[in-house]
Amino acid sequence: MSSPLDRAAAEALDAADPLAAFVDEFERPAGVIYLNGNSLGPAPKAALTRVAEAARQEWATDLITSWNKAGWFDLPYRLGDRLAGLIGAGPGEVVLTDGTGLNLYRVVSAALALRPDRRVIVMEGSNFPTNNYVVQGLVQSLGQGHQIRFAELDDLAAAIDDDVAAVVLTHAHYKSAHVLNMTGLTAKAHAHGALAIWDLCHSAGALEVDLNGCDADFAVGCTYKYLNGGPGSPAFLFVATRHQATATQPMTGWWGHDAPFAFERDYRPATGIGRMLTGTQPILSLVATEAGIDMIARAGTGAIRAKSLALGQLFQSLMGERLSDAGFILTSPAHPNDRGGHIAFDHASGYPIMKALIARGVIGDFRAPATLRFGFAPLHLRFVDVWDAVDRLAGIIHQGVWRDPAYAAVDAVT
Amino acid sequence: MSSPLDRAAAEALDAADPLAAFVDEFERPAGVIYLNGNSLGPAPKAALTRVAEAARQEWATDLITSWNKAGWFDLPYRLGDRLAGLIGAGPGEVVLTDGTGLNLYRVVSAALALRPDRRVIVMEGSNFPTNNYVVQGLVQSLGQGHQIRFAELDDLAAAIDDDVAAVVLTHAHYKSAHVLNMTGLTAKAHAHGALAIWDLCHSAGALEVDLNGCDADFAVGCTYKYLNGGPGSPAFLFVATRHQATATQPMTGWWGHDAPFAFERDYRPATGIGRMLTGTQPILSLVATEAGIDMIARAGTGAIRAKSLALGQLFQSLMGERLSDAGFILTSPAHPNDRGGHIAFDHASGYPIMKALIARGVIGDFRAPATLRFGFAPLHLRFVDVWDAVDRLAGIIHQGVWRDPAYAAVDAVT
């Protein structure tokens, strides 16, 4: 009987995988094992077709008539409704527009205006720092003395008190993949009269997310990671129905006007989530998102999460078997249920190791000072990919390949 | 000797046109005369090639490595520098990012912060109203008692006094095409200690614009009209070098951080115009802009303006000859030098007339309540196109085609 960790075992897992067929719906460059879907998802073949069609038919051929013929005006709503089902939101609660940071600016503005007597915003300072930057910029612009109260992990709940206007938290940590208790922290915020804003960049399309089930107030997230929407594809924004009549945002523009084609002089906010929109959207990037969202919907987030955990467990087991004394320190939560779609290890020579690994076709990424991230987005990954990835990594470590000075040179973007 | 207004005369103008060859660089759908480049520019063939390449090579094949390999991080700067030359700006003064409204929000925020003791913003209320909406939203968010002082045309200069923090004006009017005196109004603003912010949506790529020549402080504009960047392609933003060390904007994000890949907890603005950026850009829509910018640069805005005026004058002459008593009232400035790239006529039955015209392949657009707009973006238009357009319009009017009830039905987007 073969060892459970040899390549044949991985092949057997693929043979039994109910999601195996999705792999062929992606472009998969030859020789590459892509463990970075947590940063930029790979391209669904249907997305490439759709972008080409939008460029050639909607732009080049139908020109301005595409506003009606191709339904450009409805795109943020229509795609938002499709995405809503993946994150526990209802129809009319989600739009796709602009970037995650801009959307965070909108919903935090809205939340602070809904809690005018409170001045504290709770955030996890170690999480993706652009969220800190966005809130810092907003606070400075408002000039009303708001303060960010930073706390981490188990200290977050205790940081929420009656002074808090909003908690602004990222569901799955960009670096460690630690998943916060969305239900518990939202309830804690509500118990103190605060609003809960969730950043789903590292969980939408990777985990089961139930915004309405846990009574979240606002949420944002990107579509270019686990949703495979393409580089910099427009982000999403969720406003719970109960807030839509009263939530306001400062970047008021024509697409969020109650009568967007009446060209009235003064702003009147659209009814519903439309008021969160500002102006014309990047159509080619926006249409690219539909294929990925559709694929996640067909697969189901439950099945996706199950396979992601299985891929991650295989990776972790193989790392333990083949590289247990090579200096890799698991910095993701030890228990799979506590982490999102990727696994992080620290290594003192993480940077050259990752560069050497990428040069051998296994693409993960590196976050300073020492973290290697490996993403397990299951629709485009096979179990044998995981096996082969660890095999290549073991080769690099055991042969000392990463010590080549070429791998020490720092790239512009890491 | 033939009449100067017969089709042969138009053919002769094409034969002598130094920009004639550019027409073949565009996709031109069969049977369509496109007089709406002032709303959505047509597709440069090179832009379609570039989008396909970015989708297939940069996204699908090179994946995350494209941040370095394809220079994604530098795109807002690199494209901004290319665009700068078309609007009288220098290197490092322009970036491409997000939408026009969001960029306007940024630069008006910056201007108000630079004039903390002043509370008045001068705007032309009749111009594209999303600019009003953006400033109204900002003013409300700031809660510091700023007021918009609306004025029109010749009354604008008188509206600028020592209470004014900033004038926020659109260079060429979206409806009438009236061109404001950028030099004079900027000087008037400066004489009163105010800052001048220009919206170039209807002038970048259509007219000669000299931001530094007239000492403008800030500017914004879209790339999807005369710059032919594709539907909703990212907008641009100009900050004069002298303001770059002190100008701040509230939507602070990682792309505008001084050390964007260091993942520091707190925001520190980038030196230079980079601080105007927030987050990840829609790459497919962003790369689409390069071909159009390149084409305008090769043609030169002087030659473009000259041909645009000639096309417009031909149109106006033909309208006078063939449709002088059909109820069309010129609402653009009578003198060509006073108007931008399009010509507007009011007509009591403007809506069904434009629909009937579009059904016959001549695409202009309609702005309520009665305005027909015809755009003369010269790189993709021939003089015979103008002749044929008026010929088709005359046919529709003289045969009463537009009275067909089918043309009365209002589309979702007008």
Side-chain angles (χ1 to χ4, degrees):
Chain A
M1 196 176 153
S2 64
S3 154
L5 297 183
D6 66 8
R7 199 172 191 280
E11 286 169 359
L13 289 168
D14 284 319
D17 173 17
L19 300 183
F22 282 98
V23 169
D24 294 328
E25 295 193 29
F26 287 93
E27 295 287 336
R28 286 168 49 94
V32 170
I33 297 173
Y34 193 59
L35 303 182
N36 211 349
N38 52 304
S39 184
L40 170 66
K45 292 173 181 172
L48 299 186
T49 304
R50 184 72 188 86
V51 170
E53 175 193 69
R56 191 156 289 283
Q57 184 66 41
E58 297 179 17
W59 178 18
T61 304
D62 294 339
L63 292 155
I64 197 72
T65 67
S66 289
W67 278 98
N68 284 310
K69 199 183 277 188
W72 285 347
F73 187 75
D74 288 329
L75 271 179
Y77 300 96
R78 190 170 66 73
L79 294 172
D81 280 347
R82 298 202 73 168
L83 175 55
L86 311 184
I87 53 176
E93 290 190 314
V94 178
V95 280
L96 255 66
T97 192
D98 299 322
T100 309
L102 295 167
N103 288 343
L104 189 69
Y105 193 94
R106 292 181 167 106
V107 299
V108 178
S109 293
L112 296 184
L114 290 170
R115 292 293 180 272
D117 300 329
R118 297 175 174 225
R119 289 291 176 274
V120 176
I121 302 150
V122 169
M123 301 187 75
E124 194 179 34
S126 73
N127 215 321
F128 194 58
T130 206
N131 290 10
N132 305 341
Y133 307 160
V134 165
V135 176
Q136 287 168 344
L138 172 62
V139 162
Q140 186 164 350
S141 171
L142 293 175
Q144 296 171 8
H146 288 95
Q147 294 191 330
I148 302 175
R149 181 181 291 165
F150 288 115
E152 299 289 322
L153 292 173
D154 294 343
D155 296 332
L156 279 166
I160 304 170
D161 60 25
D162 290 354
D163 295 329
V164 175
V167 298
V168 181
L169 298 173
T170 300
H171 186 205
H173 197 282
Y174 86 106
K175 205 164 167 179
S176 72
H178 192 109
V179 175
L180 294 177
N181 178 348
M182 190 185 289
T183 304
L185 287 163
T186 301
K188 172 83 175 172
H190 290 173
H192 287 278
L195 296 164
I197 299 171
W198 289 97
D199 174 347
L200 305 178
C201 279
H202 284 273
S203 39
L207 317 182
E208 290 167 288
V209 176
D210 190 0
L211 288 172
N212 283 330
C214 72
D215 214 22
D217 298 289
F218 300 95
V220 298
C222 77
T223 62
Y224 52 76
K225 297 181 186 292
Y226 294 101
L227 294 171
N228 306 307
S233 55
F236 65 86
L237 181 158
F238 159 86
V239 180
T241 300
R242 66 183 174 282
H243 294 306
Q244 292 190 0
T246 48
T248 56
Q249 59 112 359
M251 286 101 85
T252 48
W254 76 268
W255 211 316
H257 195 281
D258 195 45
F261 302 103
F263 299 96
E264 297 175 8
R265 192 191 72 173
D266 299 316
Y267 184 70
R268 290 188 295 115
T271 305
I273 197 161
R275 61 177 60 185
M276 291 289 148
L277 301 172
T278 303
T280 307
Q281 291 300 299
I283 299 295
L284 300 181
S285 286
L286 188 52
V287 300
T289 63
E290 188 159 11
I293 293 170
D294 173 66
M295 214 180 286
I296 305 281
R298 282 187 282 122
T301 51
I304 285 171
R305 174 63 167 165
K307 180 174 171 186
S308 175
L309 290 177
L311 290 166
Q313 281 181 290
L314 177 62
F315 186 81
Q316 212 175 337
S317 299
L318 290 164
M319 288 290 287
E321 181 181 83
R322 301 187 60 177
L323 289 159
S324 62
D325 46 10
F328 291 97
I329 300 158
L330 180 72
T331 52
S332 290
H335 196 289
N337 287 346
D338 294 336
R339 67 183 180 229
H342 70 274
I343 300 182
F345 291 89
D346 275 9
H347 192 289
S349 301
Y351 187 79
I353 288 171
M354 182 54 77
K355 277 195 78 169
L357 190 60
I358 290 171
R360 292 204 169 186
V362 179
I363 301 181
D365 68 18
F366 177 79
R367 288 288 175 265
T371 303
L372 301 104
R373 298 192 305 178
F374 300 96
F376 301 98
L379 293 191
H380 64 90
L381 281 178
R382 302 170 303 173
F383 289 91
V384 290
D385 295 326
V386 171
W387 199 94
D388 291 342
V390 178
D391 192 54
R392 292 192 207 178
L393 179 59
I396 284 166
I397 297 296
H398 295 143
Q399 295 157 30
V401 173
W402 61 272
R403 297 182 194 277
D404 184 324
Y407 298 127
V410 177
D411 290 325
V413 178
T414 59
Chain B
M1 196 175 156
S2 63
S3 153
L5 297 183
D6 66 7
R7 198 175 192 278
E11 286 169 356
L13 289 169
D14 283 319
D17 172 17
L19 300 182
F22 282 98
V23 170
D24 294 328
E25 295 193 28
F26 287 92
E27 294 288 336
R28 286 167 49 94
V32 169
I33 297 172
Y34 192 60
L35 303 182
N36 212 349
N38 52 305
S39 185
L40 171 66
K45 292 174 181 172
L48 300 186
T49 304
R50 184 72 188 84
V51 170
E53 175 193 70
R56 191 157 289 282
Q57 184 67 40
E58 297 179 16
W59 178 17
T61 303
D62 294 340
L63 292 155
I64 198 71
T65 67
S66 289
W67 278 99
N68 285 310
K69 199 186 275 189
W72 284 348
F73 186 76
D74 288 329
L75 271 179
Y77 300 97
R78 190 170 65 75
L79 295 171
D81 279 347
R82 299 202 70 169
L83 176 55
L86 310 183
I87 53 176
E93 290 191 315
V94 178
V95 281
L96 255 66
T97 191
D98 299 322
T100 310
L102 295 167
N103 288 345
L104 189 69
Y105 193 94
R106 292 181 167 107
V107 298
V108 178
S109 294
L112 297 183
L114 290 170
R115 292 293 179 273
D117 300 329
R118 296 174 174 224
R119 288 292 176 273
V120 178
I121 301 151
V122 170
M123 301 186 75
E124 193 178 34
S126 73
N127 216 321
F128 194 58
T130 206
N131 290 10
N132 305 341
Y133 307 160
V134 165
V135 176
Q136 287 168 345
L138 172 63
V139 162
Q140 186 164 348
S141 171
L142 293 176
Q144 297 171 6
H146 288 96
Q147 295 192 330
I148 301 175
R149 182 180 290 164
F150 287 116
E152 298 290 320
L153 291 173
D154 294 342
D155 296 332
L156 278 166
I160 304 171
D161 60 24
D162 291 353
D163 296 329
V164 175
V167 297
V168 180
L169 297 172
T170 300
H171 186 208
H173 197 282
Y174 88 105
K175 204 163 168 179
S176 73
H178 192 109
V179 175
L180 295 177
N181 179 348
M182 189 185 288
T183 304
L185 287 163
T186 300
K188 173 81 175 172
H190 289 173
H192 288 279
L195 295 165
I197 299 171
W198 289 96
D199 174 347
L200 305 177
C201 278
H202 284 272
S203 39
L207 317 181
E208 290 165 287
V209 176
D210 190 0
L211 288 172
N212 282 330
C214 73
D215 215 22
D217 299 290
F218 300 95
V220 299
C222 77
T223 62
Y224 52 77
K225 297 181 187 291
Y226 295 100
L227 294 172
N228 306 306
S233 53
F236 64 87
L237 181 158
F238 159 85
V239 180
T241 300
R242 66 184 176 281
H243 294 307
Q244 292 190 2
T246 49
T248 57
Q249 59 112 2
M251 286 101 85
T252 48
W254 76 268
W255 211 317
H257 196 281
D258 194 45
F261 302 103
F263 300 96
E264 297 175 8
R265 192 191 74 173
D266 299 316
Y267 184 71
R268 289 188 296 116
T271 304
I273 196 159
R275 60 176 61 183
M276 291 290 148
L277 301 172
T278 303
T280 307
Q281 291 300 297
I283 298 295
L284 300 181
S285 285
L286 189 53
V287 300
T289 64
E290 188 158 10
I293 293 170
D294 174 64
M295 214 181 285
I296 305 280
R298 281 187 283 123
T301 51
I304 286 171
R305 175 64 167 165
K307 181 175 172 187
S308 175
L309 291 176
L311 290 166
Q313 282 181 290
L314 177 63
F315 186 80
Q316 212 175 337
S317 300
L318 290 164
M319 288 291 287
E321 180 181 84
R322 301 187 61 176
L323 289 159
S324 63
D325 47 8
F328 291 98
I329 299 157
L330 180 71
T331 52
S332 290
H335 196 291
N337 287 347
D338 294 336
R339 69 184 179 230
H342 71 273
I343 300 181
F345 291 88
D346 274 10
H347 191 289
S349 300
Y351 187 79
I353 288 172
M354 183 52 79
K355 279 195 77 169
L357 190 61
I358 290 171
R360 292 204 168 187
V362 179
I363 302 182
D365 68 17
F366 177 80
R367 287 289 175 266
T371 302
L372 301 104
R373 297 192 306 178
F374 301 96
F376 302 98
L379 294 191
H380 64 93
L381 281 177
R382 301 169 305 172
F383 289 91
V384 291
D385 295 326
V386 171
W387 198 93
D388 292 342
V390 178
D391 191 54
R392 293 192 206 177
L393 179 59
I396 284 165
I397 297 297
H398 296 141
Q399 296 157 29
V401 173
W402 61 272
R403 297 180 194 278
D404 184 325
Y407 298 127
V410 176
D411 290 325
V413 177
T414 61

